[in-house]
């Protein structure tokens, strides 16, 4: 009963503060969820602890978010998983079946389909193609990947950390990258 009452209260509070809940009964909040004005939350969303959402964000159906910051005008989902220590900057698009952990996607980054991004920083205006995997674990420890601005990561690419991709680089579809890629390559 307490949980049911808490969820009803959080849903009412969100809608009262300018958030659109398309199907309120299917959205579940944590005690500390923060949602900005003019945000739209589609059905079947779970907000775990530590989620802060900016203004004018769209959270699409069947997404799970925890411990993250999503800035204004971003779009998340459907079927996205955003894990702790993730920052999605303004105008970022994270799409279908994309999982992100402990990463920052800078302004206007797009990762629209079927990708895993972990322990990474992705520069502004970069596109991450479908099926891209950030291979951040070597069996012993986590390693980081830095992708520069205005880069293009082709579909079905594996980026093996530690790694740095320079600004303006283009990675061909189906590549496995194990060495740093210079700027404009």
């Amino acid at each position: 009963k307490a949980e049911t009452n808490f969820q009803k209260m959080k849903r009412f509070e969100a809608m009262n503060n300018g958030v659109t809940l398309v199907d309120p009964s299917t959205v579940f909040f944590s005690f500390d969820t923060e949602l900005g004005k003019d945000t739209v939350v589609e059905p079947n969303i779970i907000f775990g602890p530590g989620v802060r959402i900016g203004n004018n964000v769209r959270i699409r159906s069947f997404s799970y978010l925890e411990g993250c910051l999503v800035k204004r005008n971003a779009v998340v989902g459907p079927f996205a998983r955003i894990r702790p220590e993730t920052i999605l900057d303004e105008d970022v698009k994270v799409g279908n079946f994309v999982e992100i952990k402990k990463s920052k996607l800078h302004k206007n980054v797009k990762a629209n389909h079927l990708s895993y991004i972990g322990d990474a920083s992705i520069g502004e205006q970069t596109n991450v193609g479908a099926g891209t995997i950030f291979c951040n674990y070597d069996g012993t420890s986590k390693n980081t990947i830095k992708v520069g601005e205005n880069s293009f990561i082709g579909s079905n690419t594996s980026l093996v950390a530690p790694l740095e991709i320079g600004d303006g680089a283009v990675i061909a579809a189906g590549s496995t990258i194990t060495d740093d890629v210079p700027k404009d390559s």
Side-chain angles (χ1 to χ4, degrees):
K1 280 184 175 182
E3 182 65 20
T4 299
N5 289 335
F6 169 77
Q7 292 300 333
K8 284 180 183 176
M9 179 188 71
K10 289 298 278 186
R11 293 167 185 147
F12 181 76
E13 178 184 295
M15 291 185 290
N16 238 14
N17 290 327
V19 175
T20 299
L21 302 180
V22 175
D23 184 356
S25 67
T26 66
V27 177
F28 293 88
F29 293 95
S30 181
F31 68 96
D32 60 351
T33 305
E34 297 177 20
L35 298 174
K37 291 185 185 317
D38 299 318
T39 287
V40 176
V41 180
E42 293 182 5
N44 301 302
I45 304 297
I46 297 175
F47 294 107
V51 174
R52 294 181 311 164
I53 306 291
N55 295 334
N56 202 38
V57 170
R58 185 168 200 103
I59 308 295
R60 292 194 167 147
S61 295
F62 300 101
S63 294
Y64 180 90
L65 297 87
E66 62 180 314
C68 62
L69 170 62
V70 179
K71 295 187 179 179
R72 71 182 177 86
N73 299 324
V75 177
V76 175
F79 296 97
R81 182 170 182 214
I82 310 301
R83 293 172 54 194
E85 297 183 58
T86 294
I87 298 171
L88 304 180
D89 217 336
E90 297 174 7
D91 303 303
V92 165
K93 289 191 169 92
V94 173
N96 305 300
F97 302 102
V98 175
E99 179 177 1
I100 303 175
K101 180 213 99 166
K102 197 176 181 182
S103 297
K104 180 165 185 183
L105 279 60
H106 292 264
K107 190 173 183 177
N108 289 311
V109 167
K110 291 174 182 58
N112 283 319
H113 322 279
L114 305 158
S115 295
Y116 171 73
I117 299 169
D119 298 286
S121 173
I122 303 177
E124 291 185 14
Q125 304 287 337
T126 290
N127 186 77
V128 177
T132 296
I133 301 170
F134 283 58
C135 307
N136 58 325
Y137 185 59
D138 63 10
T140 305
S141 58
K142 302 284 182 169
N143 296 287
T144 61
I145 296 174
K146 182 180 180 197
V147 178
E149 296 180 359
N150 299 302
S151 294
F152 180 84
I153 310 299
S155 296
N156 202 30
T157 294
S158 295
L159 301 175
V160 182
L163 190 63
E164 189 164 333
I165 309 292
D167 293 345
V170 176
I171 306 297
S175 298
T176 298
I177 306 299
T178 58
D179 295 320
D180 290 350
V181 175
K183 179 180 179 179
D184 296 322
S185 296

